[in-house]
Amino acid sequence: MTVPQQPNSFRTGPDEGGHFGTFGGRFVAETLMPLILDLEKAYAAAKADPAFRHEMDGHLKNYVGRPSPLYFAERLTAHFQRQTASGLMGAKIYLKREDLNHTGAHKVNNVLGQIMLARRMGKRRIIAETGAGMHGVATATLCAKFGLDCIVYMGEVDVERQQPNVQRMKALGAEVRPVTAGAKTLKDAMNDALRDWVTNVATTFYCIGTVAGPHPYPMMVRDFQSIIGIETRAQMQELEGRLPDSLVACIGGGSNAMGLFHPFLDEAGIEIYGVEAAGHGIDSGKHAASVAGGRPGVLHGNRTYLLMDADGQINEAHSISAGLDYPGIGPEHAWLHAVGRVRFLNATDDEALAAFDLLSRLEGIIPALEPAHALAKVADLAPTKPKDHLMVVNLSGRGDKDLATVAAHRGGRA
């Protein structure tokens, strides 16, 4: 059961209709409403069942490999420090190592919860959408573990630029269905997955990969991903004896960011930054920054900030990162922007590529292009902070999958 949003807390939403302020809700075909209501009921029952939590904790520990480390990036920290007249400046940078999870990203946290819920509901046919492929890989992985049928919708453009993940999904037994409509990217994959769900309502569970879609998905995905922030709180207390001063994460739909942010939202002294994909620049129109360049509208079952033209038609997004190449943002993020709790920044393709190089060469960690956007803004933020400022960056995935994309962008040179 959801609880009313409280004026003195940023952590109690959504309300019973799935709204975060004026955002969220459930705008779906009547055919899907019974499934949405069944899902909401099943999730409420699972949350109240200690056995569900106990089983999930066991899989997170023994299969996913949690807790993921909170790593002090010593050389990256030193790179951004500078001597000033008033002393040494530059934040102490920690990386939340979601790239070390089984499957290589944060996506597996949410997929595990949803697949356990699907089994509880008796659904054995699982569908998913994917952009960068990490949600598809995580879904294929958990379906293989539990013996379920798996179909992954993926835009044709993303199939080409994320071939390593396509091959991983197929090796795990999933059927990958290329989507040829629209821009052939994440938005279009989600459209086809929703059409499949409407057509196969009795047998199918739709495993959404981000904090978007109709209620209860934004809440449910947030809850499953909040393990990131819960662990970070405990780890920072152990390492530094206090909470961090700032949090930074990339945002497409925004599940990795919400997972880190949510447990800290009521800590007024903690600065929180979400980083969108600016593509070729906001003024170019070729970007995926829904907060910076969009306005409120309805897509994929929820009201949120979207990239739209003057007639309300959805504009195509662009990012070098397949996982951020989406024309919307999760409705809870939209609300957090509206109330001023989270500050939204944006990074261009070129800035993300520079950050990709920097972390690889300073720390021996090749980041996915998605969190490389967050790292790009660390270059702006970290030098302005005092040396005792504790900054946590969510390293939401590893960069193996992006080496071909980077090489192609640079004419064959990774």
Side-chain angles (χ1 to χ4, degrees):
M1 176 68 67
T2 55
V3 294
Q5 207 159 302
Q6 301 297 319
N8 62 340
S9 175
F10 294 102
R11 301 188 64 236
T12 55
D15 64 19
E16 290 189 359
H19 295 96
F20 301 91
T22 62
F23 301 100
R26 40 189 168 214
F27 298 82
V28 297
E30 285 302 314
T31 318
L32 285 180
M33 278 305 295
L35 276 79
I36 291 289
L37 295 174
D38 285 348
L39 176 62
E40 183 180 16
K41 183 178 178 181
Y43 179 54
K47 275 206 298 188
D49 184 355
F52 183 88
R53 183 75 254 177
H54 179 75
E55 181 186 353
M56 188 172 181
D57 286 345
H59 293 313
L60 287 170
K61 177 182 178 182
N62 300 312
Y63 190 71
V64 175
R66 301 204 72 91
S68 67
L70 185 64
Y71 167 72
F72 171 44
E74 186 173 5
R75 295 192 68 214
L76 190 67
T77 295
H79 178 80
F80 291 126
Q81 286 180 331
R82 58 194 176 91
Q83 196 68 43
T84 70
S86 56
L88 189 65
M89 294 286 289
K92 189 173 183 180
I93 302 167
Y94 282 88
L95 306 178
K96 183 56 172 161
R97 297 292 307 277
E98 293 297 292
D99 60 310
L100 295 180
N101 293 338
H102 181 43
T103 74
H106 69 292
K107 294 292 187 180
V108 69
N109 306 322
N110 164 53
V111 173
L112 173 62
Q114 289 199 52
I115 294 300
M116 286 179 57
L117 192 58
R119 295 176 73 217
R120 189 181 177 102
M121 296 174 71
K123 308 281 188 178
R124 300 195 58 80
R125 180 179 182 270
I126 310 299
I127 61 172
E129 86 295 328
T130 197
M134 298 311 297
H135 176 61
V137 168
T139 305
T141 298
L142 271 299
C143 284
K145 173 175 171 55
F146 291 114
L148 305 175
D149 297 330
C150 181
I151 297 167
V152 179
Y153 289 90
M154 190 173 192
E156 195 174 58
V157 168
D158 293 337
V159 168
E160 289 304 312
R161 62 179 169 176
Q162 299 290 311
Q163 267 297 306
N165 278 344
V166 173
Q167 297 307 318
R168 289 170 77 191
M169 286 183 270
K170 290 180 177 179
L172 290 159
E175 177 188 347
V176 180
R177 293 188 180 176
V179 176
T180 58
K184 308 173 188 177
T185 56
L186 182 56
K187 168 181 68 70
D188 312 293
M190 197 166 186
N191 287 340
D192 272 24
L194 284 165
R195 290 188 192 102
D196 183 316
W197 198 22
V198 170
T199 306
N200 301 284
V201 292
T203 60
T204 299
F205 186 99
Y206 182 15
C207 185
I208 292 181
T210 193
V211 284
H215 177 66
Y217 279 104
M219 173 185 69
M220 185 168 65
V221 176
R222 174 201 72 196
D223 291 349
F224 291 142
Q225 290 292 4
S226 287
I227 186 68
I228 300 170
I230 291 168
E231 286 180 2
T232 299
R233 285 184 71 103
Q235 289 167 324
M236 190 59 85
Q237 288 280 14
E238 181 180 350
L239 291 166
E240 297 281 355
R242 63 184 182 88
L243 295 179
D245 297 297
S246 63
L247 311 171
V248 188
C250 66
I251 291 183
S255 66
N256 91 90
M258 191 57 68
L260 176 63
F261 297 169
H262 194 258
F264 294 97
L265 287 175
D266 287 342
E267 305 289 347
I270 297 180
E271 303 166 10
I272 304 181
Y273 300 94
V275 184
E276 298 186 291
H280 297 316
I282 302 299
D283 292 341
S284 74
K286 295 182 178 180
H287 62 83
S290 303
V291 169
R295 55 193 174 89
V298 175
L299 179 68
H300 294 149
N302 69 109
R303 184 176 188 271
T304 187
Y305 278 92
L306 302 169
L307 301 180
M308 297 186 292
D309 65 19
D311 297 321
Q313 297 300 305
I314 301 301
N315 288 333
E316 301 298 349
H318 163 77
S319 172
I320 193 172
S321 159
L324 303 183
D325 199 350
Y326 182 71
I329 192 171
E332 190 167 7
H333 284 299
W335 174 69
L336 289 169
H337 165 69
V339 298
R341 179 61 187 98
V342 175
R343 182 181 173 194
F344 287 84
L345 310 173
N346 53 80
T348 64
D349 291 349
D350 288 344
E351 288 173 325
L353 285 165
F356 176 94
D357 290 342
L358 189 67
L359 189 70
S360 299
R361 294 168 187 179
L362 286 183
E363 295 289 350
I365 300 169
I366 303 175
L369 285 172
E370 289 80 16
H373 285 72
L375 290 162
K377 291 296 100 173
V378 170
D380 295 335
L381 295 168
T384 70
K385 308 299 183 185
K387 63 182 176 60
D388 60 349
H389 181 104
L390 304 177
M391 178 178 289
V392 175
V393 185
N394 198 9
L395 196 66
S396 56
R398 68 186 190 216
D400 315 33
K401 67 182 180 63
D402 291 319
L403 291 173
T405 298
V406 174
H409 184 82
R410 292 171 170 167
R413 179 179 57 82

